[in-house]
Amino acid sequence: MQSTPKAKDALRAAQLYYLQDMKMEMIAKELGTSRSTISRLLSHAKRTGMVSVTISPSANMSALLSNQLAENYGITAHVVPTDGLMDDAELLSRVAAHAAHLLGTIVSSSMTVGVAWGSTMQAVSSALSPHPTHDSVIVQLNGAANPVTSGVRYANDILTRFGQAFTARTEQFPVPAFFDRASTREAMWQETSVRRVLKVQQEMNLAVFSLGAARSAVASQVYRGGYLSPAESAALQSKGVVGDVATVFFDKHGDSSQIEFNARATGPNLDDLRKVPQRFCVISGRGKIDALRGALNGGLITDLVLDEGTALRLLDG
């Protein structure tokens, strides 16, 4: 049955509709057909048993990978089915859409949600749909300014989309991503306006972030936006840095304690981050595999959303 062209189209349409939460109009555009044809294909998928608890062989594989990741790392894993032909930009779009859908089931009233900024968070925020709550707060996890740009609009756009999606109050963190000197950060952390935001961060029920990694095909914003000088990047590499969470760097063990540069960073101390009950990480593309392994080794993640290819590589060791 599945070898016929109609069956193949029905299977693909079911994957996009039920797993990726895409609208029929978008599926029709992707498959080069009409909305009415997509509707008939979905009906065919149901009638012939393609749509059940699992939709396709790809979905079966994703469920197996999710279970294996959960067993290996003690996390909740959500593996997004992919066909292996997508480029990194399309992978990011699919993973971000899946993460946005999951967040709609997680964020509820009276929650405080910390949100980092970056390329992945930009994609997730753009994919969010309305899920109204009350008495909720969205707080920025780290500053965004650098010597090249203030970064305010970039970070604010992400924060605003989260706030609008969940009808929540937003709390900006108007400080640079990195201070020039650790002593400057120490002084700023005593300012009343900064301490107020830090207090909101301490009340987080949920932190939402991706991982920074220099080698990702879709380069992390911190590595391409003027945040680090060549000398600083080289110094971090010499320390064995594999990635960062909200601009706080860590090594392959998920340890940040020996990285002096973090004394200048405005993201949360990783020991404090580990105290947040739910730490929701979104990863797309194999370029972040070393950062992902380090974060998992360091217990920085409780919930992980990633593409199928990255999951396979992670489990391959």
Side-chain angles (χ1 to χ4, degrees):
M1 178 188 69
Q2 292 189 7
S3 62
T4 68
K6 181 177 181 180
K8 289 181 179 178
D9 288 343
L11 178 61
R12 184 62 176 155
Q15 289 175 315
L16 296 175
Y17 187 76
Y18 292 103
L19 297 178
Q20 300 297 331
D21 205 27
M22 290 179 64
K23 295 184 182 299
M24 288 191 191
E25 291 82 359
M26 295 300 296
I27 300 172
K29 183 177 180 181
E30 180 158 328
L31 298 186
T33 187
S34 66
R35 186 186 184 283
S36 59
T37 297
I38 297 301
S39 179
R40 288 194 294 272
L41 287 172
L42 292 174
S43 296
H44 178 77
K46 289 181 180 178
R47 188 169 59 252
T48 57
M50 290 183 194
V51 176
S52 56
V53 176
T54 54
I55 291 175
S56 68
S58 178
N60 284 330
M61 173 63 76
S62 298
L64 290 172
L65 292 173
S66 296
N67 291 337
Q68 189 63 56
L69 288 171
E71 182 178 338
N72 286 10
Y73 294 102
I75 61 172
T76 299
H78 304 272
V79 178
V80 180
T82 55
D83 59 15
L85 300 177
M86 301 175 185
D87 60 25
D88 278 67
E90 188 173 8
L91 276 178
L92 174 58
S93 177
R94 294 289 171 87
V95 172
H98 197 91
H101 174 74
L102 288 171
L103 286 170
T105 69
I106 293 172
V107 178
S108 59
S109 296
S110 303
M111 286 185 68
T112 298
V113 182
V115 176
W117 50 261
S119 304
T120 303
M121 286 300 97
Q122 182 89 306
V124 172
S125 70
S126 297
L128 289 170
S129 56
H131 294 276
T133 67
H134 63 269
D135 297 328
S136 298
V137 181
I138 308 295
V139 60
Q140 186 177 332
L141 277 180
N142 55 318
N146 66 48
V148 177
T149 173
S150 70
V152 171
R153 181 170 182 178
Y154 174 80
N156 187 57
D157 285 348
I158 296 171
L159 210 66
T160 297
R161 292 190 194 106
F162 269 84
Q164 291 175 341
F166 300 110
T167 56
R169 187 179 94 245
T170 58
E171 290 283 356
Q172 296 182 19
F173 199 19
V175 294
F178 305 105
F179 287 104
D180 291 336
R181 289 172 293 277
S183 59
T184 307
R185 192 191 79 159
E186 291 176 9
M188 281 293 295
W189 261 221
Q190 303 307 312
E191 291 293 321
T192 302
S193 58
V194 173
R195 289 174 67 86
R196 184 183 63 80
V197 179
L198 293 174
K199 185 177 185 300
V200 175
Q201 290 180 358
Q202 291 171 1
E203 298 168 352
M204 283 188 292
N205 313 100
L206 169 68
V208 183
F209 55 87
S210 185
L211 302 174
R215 291 187 292 176
S216 176
V218 181
S220 302
Q221 183 73 12
V222 71
Y223 296 98
R224 63 181 171 87
Y227 288 90
L228 299 171
S229 70
E232 289 169 338
S233 295
L236 290 171
Q237 186 174 3
S238 72
K239 287 287 187 179
V241 165
V242 297
D244 73 275
V245 174
T247 60
V248 177
F249 299 95
F250 57 85
D251 63 17
K252 66 181 181 180
H253 305 294
D255 183 20
S256 61
S257 62
Q258 302 303 312
I259 302 168
E260 295 89 347
F261 193 86
N262 287 333
R264 295 166 45 194
T266 55
N269 179 286
L270 296 191
D271 286 337
D272 291 334
L273 181 64
R274 291 183 184 95
K275 297 175 184 177
V276 179
Q278 195 164 12
R279 305 178 298 279
F280 186 96
C281 180
V282 185
I283 294 292
S284 169
R286 300 181 185 184
K288 295 188 176 184
I289 194 71
D290 290 339
L292 179 54
R293 285 199 181 103
L296 289 168
N297 290 338
L300 299 175
I301 298 168
T302 62
D303 297 72
L304 176 63
V305 184
L306 73 169
D307 62 275
E308 198 170 90
T310 302
L312 283 167
R313 186 172 177 187
L314 180 62
L315 289 169
D316 284 345

